[in-house]
């Protein structure tokens, strides 16, 4: 069978994983294949509820502008629906009190916005939209335990039931309410003409590929040892500020982080972070005591006036991991990796959901590009290219953190002059609206890194004085 992914025709595609990356990949593949099967190890909840397969789902998630645009392209009207469901929209920098690199940001007019509603709510809305397509079905409570085929071509997946897993018809958008446990017996084969791994950062695909005689990808790793803990609070209504949230951003000289964002209904998620030698605790008293380590008492004082509404949840797996399926090697046709299974980022940078959507857009464009045949290798390269801007941001920042480890920590030859320029830029972006707008456009994945070198920005960075910034947290927006 020819390796032509752009003409799946009457063939069958299987997507491993029913989270955002998997669902959005299924949405795109349904435009080419006769049927798409999403294999999900969890029982999917009926509504916008958290599920075990998304262990970081209880923590702070933001949908940055690049992700908003991609989701609207894939699922027209999506962000309007999200807003109608009550997901707060936070303007940046006007609605956020932010401290970074020893400076408070001016709260000038917003140049971008972030959705800060619960991750489970966003995933549920995506699931409802995607599974309304009769060409897409989901198999719940089933684990993928291997691939079938050989080093030349993947021909399907090996599945094993988790407890009493069951098949759910497409178009219902419904699932079970429990979680399967234990092994369901012998593995069975589900044949496929294309297999897409969207199983997340814990993907076992490298082992599965080795088992069929193919070559596992080289992995690039940068791990700062960052960990975070999160708790839900009902925020105080005391009129002390018109800000919707706070963000204390860690850096190599100040390694503690704290973020407070609204999630709707008067509730806020509070996430505190630290590095491997000093992790935020998961007990209630220790959580609030840890907030006092931040460089300013803003968050700690807010917590003292807020009402806790949940226990404390911790998360520890935050390494940047990139699997180089794009590099030459003995790799089979008919297999792709997407989302965190391809490139996982330190979640503190808020990129994961956006990259899942951006990568699905890249998948669509690669499959329909009239200039070249969509082969496994060309499509996989397009997916890696789609994740590269986020990797450059996350990995670039993390390799500077104290104690960072991994085989990708070393700096490249161009890092020294670029680093000099970026340090000057960071001295100015908290107080200069032009520099700040350019920097946010890159961070939110709506503009390439070259936006930081545009003439107006470069003039301010190279020749402008360091602008004045607030000496204390700016409690009110600038007029």
């Amino acid at each position: 069978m020819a390796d032509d992914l752009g003409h799946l025709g009457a063939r069958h595609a299987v997507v491993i994983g029913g989270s955002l990356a998997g669902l959005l990949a299924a949405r795109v593949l349904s435009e080419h294949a006769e049927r798409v099967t999403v294999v999900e190890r969890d029982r999917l909840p009926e509504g916008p509820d958290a599920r075990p397969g998304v262990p970081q789902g209880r923590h702070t998630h933001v949908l940055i502008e690049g992700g908003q645009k991609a989701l609207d392209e894939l699922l027209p009207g999506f962000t309007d629906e999200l807003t109608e469901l009550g997901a707060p929209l936070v303007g940046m920098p006007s609605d956020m009190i932010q401290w970074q690199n020893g400076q408070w940001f001016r709260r000038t007019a917003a140049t971008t916005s972030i959705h800060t509603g619960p991750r489970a709510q966003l995933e549920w809305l995506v699931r409802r939209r995607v599974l309304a397509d009769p060409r897409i079905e989901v198999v719940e409570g089933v684990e993928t335990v291997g691939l079938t085929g050989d080093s030349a071509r993947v021909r399907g997946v090996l599945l094993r039931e988790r407890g009493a897993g069951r098949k759910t018809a497409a178009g219902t958008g419904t699932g079970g309410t429990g979680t399967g446990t234990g092994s369901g017996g012998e593995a069975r084969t589900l044949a496929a003409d294309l297999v897409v791994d969207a199983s997340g950062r814990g993907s076992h695909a490298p082992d599965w590929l080795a088992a069929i005689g193919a070559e596992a990808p080289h992995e690039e790793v940068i791990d700062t040892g960052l960990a975070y803990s999160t708790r839900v609070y009902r925020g105080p209504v005391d009129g002390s500020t018109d800000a919707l949230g706070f963000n204390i951003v860690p850096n190599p000289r100040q390694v503690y982080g704290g973020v407070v964002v609204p999630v709707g209904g008067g509730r806020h998620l509070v996430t505190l972070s630290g590095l491997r030698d000093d992790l935020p605790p998961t007990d209630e008293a220790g959580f609030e005591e840890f907030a006092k380590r931040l460089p300013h008492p803003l968050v700690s004082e807010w917590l003292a006036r807020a009402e806790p509404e949940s226990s404390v949840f911790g998360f520890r797996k935050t390494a940047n991991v990139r699997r180089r399926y794009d590099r030459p090697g003995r790799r089979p046709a008919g297999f792709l990796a997407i989302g965190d299974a391809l490139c996982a980022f330190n979640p503190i940078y808020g990129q994961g959901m956006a990259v899942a959507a951006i990568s699905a857009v890249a998948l669509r464009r690669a499959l329909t590009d009239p200039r070249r045949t969509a082969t496994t290798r060309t499509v996989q390269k397009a997916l890696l290219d789609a994740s590269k801007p986020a990797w450059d941001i996350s990995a670039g920042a993390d390799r500077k953190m104290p104690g960072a480890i991994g085989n990708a920590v070393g700096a490249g030859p161009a890092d020294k002059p670029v680093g000099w320029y970026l340090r000057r830029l960071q001295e100015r972006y908290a107080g200069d609206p032009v520099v700040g707008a350019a920097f946010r456009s890159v961070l939110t994945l709506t503009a390439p890194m070259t936006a930081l070198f545009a003439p107006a920005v470069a003039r301010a960075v190279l020749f402008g004085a360091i602008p004045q910034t607030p000496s204390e947290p700016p409690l009110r927006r600038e007029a």
Side-chain angles (χ1 to χ4, degrees):
M1 185 182 296
D3 184 18
D4 184 351
L5 302 184
H7 296 86
L8 282 168
R11 291 183 277 172
H12 179 213
V14 168
V15 178
I16 304 170
S19 193
L20 290 177
L23 289 168
L24 295 173
R27 166 73 184 89
V28 172
L29 293 174
S30 70
E31 300 167 357
H32 300 272
E34 183 179 76
R35 64 190 182 103
V36 181
T37 302
V38 178
V39 179
E40 171 52 49
R41 69 194 303 270
D42 277 349
R43 302 294 183 79
L44 297 173
E46 299 279 355
D49 301 314
R51 59 187 179 88
V54 188
Q56 78 278 30
R58 297 181 183 274
H59 300 274
T60 299
H61 281 75
V62 298
L63 181 63
I64 56 179
E65 189 177 351
Q68 295 168 33
K69 291 181 175 180
L71 277 164
D72 278 336
E73 182 173 339
L74 296 163
L75 304 169
F78 180 87
T79 55
D80 288 341
E81 289 187 64
L82 195 60
T83 301
E84 290 168 7
L85 286 173
L89 193 63
V90 178
M92 302 291 287
S94 60
D95 292 334
M96 184 73 73
I97 297 177
Q98 179 164 323
W99 183 97
Q100 188 170 0
N101 294 319
Q103 300 178 93
W104 294 104
F105 279 55
R106 291 177 58 190
R107 293 178 57 198
T108 52
T111 61
T112 189
S113 61
I114 57 175
H115 273 283
T116 62
R119 159 70 182 254
Q121 180 187 64
L122 186 145
E123 186 175 308
W124 169 73
L125 181 56
V126 170
R127 187 164 64 241
R128 191 176 70 178
R129 291 282 301 269
V130 169
L131 297 185
D133 188 332
R135 295 167 295 185
I136 302 172
E137 63 179 4
V138 59
V139 179
E140 300 176 46
V142 175
E143 288 185 288
T144 303
V145 295
L147 302 170
T148 63
D150 52 36
S151 60
R153 171 170 287 279
V154 166
R155 301 188 181 278
V157 293
L158 295 173
L159 304 180
R160 187 167 58 210
E161 302 292 323
R162 298 185 77 219
R166 64 182 177 85
K167 189 173 182 178
T168 300
T172 61
T174 62
T177 56
T179 302
T181 58
S183 170
E186 294 298 318
R188 61 184 174 89
T189 298
L190 178 62
D193 300 287
L194 173 65
V195 174
V196 177
D197 179 23
S199 59
R201 66 167 57 232
S203 169
H204 295 291
D207 295 332
W208 300 338
L209 289 167
I212 62 171
E215 186 177 344
H218 171 70
E219 292 188 358
E220 299 172 332
V221 179
I222 300 175
D223 185 4
T224 65
L226 180 137
Y228 52 88
S229 297
T230 299
R231 195 180 192 189
V232 179
Y233 283 82
R234 183 164 294 276
V237 184
D238 55 14
S240 59
T241 180
D242 60 6
L244 300 181
F246 313 137
N247 190 17
I248 307 297
V249 182
N251 62 49
R253 294 181 301 278
Q254 194 292 116
V255 298
Y256 300 109
V259 60
V260 180
V261 296
V263 290
R267 294 173 299 122
H268 294 72
L269 282 181
V270 180
T271 295
L272 304 177
S273 65
L275 298 188
R276 60 173 55 88
D277 294 331
D278 197 359
L279 305 182
T282 55
D283 65 281
E284 298 178 2
F287 181 81
E288 297 195 2
E289 187 65 26
F290 190 88
K292 296 178 182 178
R293 303 187 189 190
L294 296 173
H296 191 278
L298 174 71
V299 173
S300 181
E301 291 172 353
W302 186 91
L303 290 175
R305 304 193 309 275
E307 290 292 328
E309 290 200 347
S310 78
S311 54
V312 183
F313 301 94
F315 190 71
R316 302 295 184 251
K317 296 180 180 179
T318 62
N320 302 279
V321 181
R322 182 162 64 169
R323 298 181 172 101
R324 300 303 301 268
Y325 287 103
D326 60 306
R327 290 185 175 175
R330 193 174 64 257
R331 300 203 180 88
F335 176 84
L336 297 171
I338 197 170
D340 281 2
L342 175 63
C343 191
F345 313 97
N346 185 339
I348 199 171
Y349 300 106
Q351 302 165 314
M353 296 195 301
V355 172
I358 290 168
S359 296
V361 171
L363 177 63
R364 172 187 275 175
R365 292 174 181 171
L367 291 176
T368 57
D369 188 344
R371 299 169 299 174
R372 57 178 61 89
T373 301
T375 66
T376 300
R377 177 162 289 185
T378 61
V379 174
Q380 189 65 82
K381 184 178 185 306
L383 295 176
L384 189 91
D385 289 346
S387 65
K388 186 178 184 301
W391 173 268
D392 289 343
I393 293 168
S394 180
D398 275 4
R399 61 168 48 102
K400 299 182 181 72
M401 294 298 285
I405 59 175
N407 61 6
V409 169
D415 286 352
K416 184 171 288 188
V418 172
W420 175 85
Y421 182 88
L422 291 179
R423 283 192 295 274
R424 291 183 63 87
L425 185 145
Q426 289 171 356
E427 291 173 342
R428 291 157 174 80
Y429 78 124
D432 186 317
V434 173
V435 176
F439 198 74
R440 282 186 292 276
S441 71
V442 172
L443 291 180
T444 58
L445 306 179
T446 57
M449 192 72 73
T450 53
L452 302 181
F453 301 90
V457 179
R459 280 195 298 272
V461 171
L462 297 175
F463 307 114
I466 297 176
Q468 189 172 16
T469 55
S471 59
E472 292 294 328
L475 301 180
R476 304 290 166 189
R477 300 180 187 92
E478 293 190 16

